[in-house]
Amino acid sequence: LKIGILGGGQLARMMILAGASLGIEFRVYDPDRSATAFGLAPGWVGDFDDIETLSVWAEGLDAVTTETELVPASTLAALMNRVEVRPGPHMQLVCQDRLEEKAACERLGIPVAPWRLVSSARQLEAARQRLGGELIVKARTGGYDGRGQVRVGRRGSVAQAWEALGSRAAIAEAVVGFEREVSIIGVRDSAGRILTYPVIENLHTDGILRRSIAPAPSVGVIRAQAEDIIRALMEDLGTVGVLTVEMFEVDGRLLVNELAPRVHNSGHWTLQASETSQFENHIRAVAGLPLGSTVGEGAALMWNLIGDLPDPRSVLSVPGASMHDYAKTPRPGRKVGHVTVTAACPERLRERVAAAADTGIFPAWLLDGLAAPAPAP
Ligand code: AMP
């Protein structure tokens, strides 16, 4: 089997590594000639809307998938005439446009933060009045990792915010006072079978994921909610492959923030702690192979390495730790790797992370939100 991946970042890299064990060959396409996945599979350089080049690239492939919402849905539609495209253009269209995402959720009765569509500074001011208070304004398309977003306070300048956003159509959202951010990852095959991974607790700063814990501690009632939400979305949108849903937990209730029709940063721990990783399951679904069990044992923490890499000799000395180096040039704010720590139970996980924080190998903030030590008998 030969699979083409649109986008050559770390997600493509990890899909290639997972698919290689199944004997699957890959071909990558990315506008950037230094794309990291080019180190693992033949790479083509071209724009995502260059249909002519893409058509040649797709020759001889059995299926095409994507690792980024930057690929226009129209490109996937054009490729569909030549090759199986999974997930298809509809899924891409919904997930690359915040308005479509909100509409899909609301159609299915899935709660989201209060929002308004805004196309001018005046409409933004009106949205602030209606939503009452602080807003996050997000460009409808093209934003990720906190880019394409501005906050507007109760008294902040709406004109300035509108300009900072590049004066493009946007969704103005009320700022939600959430207790925490969580995500759920599911996978659906072409026959409609769906499997889900445990709910994950995520910590973001400046719009970038810093740390994930799986399973999310004290998951209680939100577990069933998260599963219902992702199943409803996967069935309704008819996706094939992995879907990720990012959510806010507010008073025991989940609000959907964002969808990603692909493997996701908050699921990297599945490489070490699930019977089948998100990467392998996505590739299995795309290749038309049976899905693998998403069951996992124990607990895992994923620490995103942003800007630069720690010394692997220290990190790898931590029991249960594995380190992934994306082979990217370090740059402030850039995801260059991640560390996963696994353990048999949440308490043991905390012990391992705490010991590594004590010796300065891990930053101390990684401990926030990890299961507290059991009280002394
Ligand atoms: P997004 O690009 O929509 O995933 O937003 C990036 C991050 O900004 C989220 O992970 C949250 O930490 C924060 N954020 C986004 N929307 C809201 C909101 N409506 N209320 C509070 N925080 C938000």
Side-chain angles (χ1 to χ4, degrees), residues 36-48:
T36 175
F38 288 177
L40 295 184
W44 287 47
V45 180
D47 290 331
F48 285 137

Side-chain angles (χ1 to χ4, degrees), residues 102 106 112-118 123-138 152-154 170-176:
K102 302 270 190 222
E106 292 194 336
V112 295
W115 63 279
R116 287 283 182 283
L117 175 65
V118 292
Q123 285 181 1
L124 182 53
E125 180 55 53
R128 180 161 62 176
Q129 310 263 331
R130 288 297 290 269
L131 300 172
E134 199 182 347
L135 299 181
I136 295 195
V137 196
K138 305 175 178 179
V152 198
R154 272 169 222 281
I171 296 289
E173 262 179 47
V175 170
V176 173

Side-chain angles (χ1 to χ4, degrees), residues 329-345:
T329 311
R331 200 194 299 144
R334 192 176 203 201
K335 292 174 181 171
V336 289
H338 74 266
V339 171
T340 303
V341 188
T342 57
C345 63

Side-chain angles (χ1 to χ4, degrees), residues 6 47-49 68-77 89 92-93 96:
L6 293 165
D47 290 331
F48 285 137
D49 56 5
T68 162
E69 283 88 298
L70 296 176
V71 179
S74 54
T75 291
L76 300 186
Q92 190 76 349
L93 191 82
Q96 66 193 184

Side-chain angles (χ1 to χ4, degrees), residues 98 101-102 113-114 134-136 138 143-149 151 173-178 181 202-209 246-248 255 257-258:
R98 291 184 188 270
E101 279 180 347
K102 302 270 190 222
E134 199 182 347
L135 299 181
I136 295 195
K138 305 175 178 179
Y144 67 98
D145 282 350
R147 279 172 257 186
Q149 285 187 17
R151 279 202 182 221
E173 262 179 47
V175 170
V176 173
F178 53 76
E181 297 191 67
N202 301 317
L203 178 75
H204 294 85
T205 45
D206 302 327
I208 303 182
L209 180 66
E246 293 188 84
M247 295 164 286
F248 303 132
L255 303 179
N257 178 38
E258 215 177 7

Side-chain angles (χ1 to χ4, degrees), residues 32-304:
D32 177 359
R33 59 181 58 254
S34 65
T36 175
F38 288 177
L40 295 184
W44 287 47
V45 180
D47 290 331
F48 285 137
D49 56 5
D50 180 354
I51 305 297
E52 216 169 295
T53 307
L54 279 160
S55 302
V56 185
W57 170 79
E59 267 172 33
L61 294 175
D62 297 292
V64 164
T65 192
T66 56
E67 63 132 37
T68 162
E69 283 88 298
L70 296 176
V71 179
S74 54
T75 291
L76 300 186
L79 284 171
M80 254 171 74
N81 301 322
R82 300 166 186 275
V83 60
E84 197 78 58
V85 179
R86 289 174 166 168
H90 177 59
M91 201 61 205
Q92 190 76 349
L93 191 82
V94 170
C95 298
Q96 66 193 184
D97 183 342
R98 291 184 188 270
L99 179 63
E100 293 285 344
E101 279 180 347
K102 302 270 190 222
C105 288
E106 292 194 336
R107 187 160 40 77
L108 295 167
I110 296 171
V112 295
W115 63 279
R116 287 283 182 283
L117 175 65
V118 292
S119 307
S120 66
R122 232 184 65 211
Q123 285 181 1
L124 182 53
E125 180 55 53
R128 180 161 62 176
Q129 310 263 331
R130 288 297 290 269
L131 300 172
E134 199 182 347
L135 299 181
I136 295 195
V137 196
K138 305 175 178 179
R140 264 182 73 174
T141 57
Y144 67 98
D145 282 350
R147 279 172 257 186
Q149 285 187 17
V150 285
R151 279 202 182 221
V152 198
R154 272 169 222 281
R155 281 176 208 81
S157 160
V158 158
Q160 249 172 30
W162 184 246
E163 208 168 297
L165 203 69
S167 313
R168 47 198 174 134
I171 296 289
E173 262 179 47
V175 170
V176 173
F178 53 76
E179 279 105 56
R180 59 176 170 174
E181 297 191 67
V182 297
S183 59
I184 186 162
I185 295 176
V187 58
R188 181 176 179 274
D189 69 14
S190 54
R193 183 167 179 244
I194 291 173
L195 293 175
T196 59
Y197 290 91
V199 175
I200 307 152
E201 179 180 310
N202 301 317
L203 178 75
H204 294 85
T205 45
D206 302 327
I208 303 182
L209 180 66
R210 306 285 158 165
R211 190 268 283 134
S212 294
I213 305 171
S218 328
V219 75
V221 289
I222 63 161
R223 186 172 160 189
Q225 282 179 50
E227 283 192 2
D228 288 348
I229 287 171
I230 198 165
R231 279 177 184 275
L233 285 164
M234 282 196 288
E235 273 164 15
D236 180 74
L237 299 170
T239 193
V240 176
V242 164
L243 173 72
T244 305
V245 184
E246 293 188 84
M247 295 164 286
F248 303 132
E249 181 178 345
V250 191
D251 294 332
R253 192 160 157 262
L254 294 177
L255 303 179
V256 167
N257 178 38
E258 215 177 7
L259 314 179
R262 52 168 172 79
V263 291
H264 194 260
N265 196 170
S266 65
H268 289 357
W269 59 273
T270 61
L271 281 168
Q272 279 74 32
S274 299
E275 286 183 1
T276 317
S277 74
Q278 61 163 351
F279 303 102
E280 178 166 340
N281 259 337
H282 183 76
I283 292 302
R284 287 195 195 195
V286 171
L289 296 168
L291 301 180
S293 158
T294 51
V295 168
E297 273 181 22
L301 173 140
M302 191 277 314
W303 167 33
N304 249 359

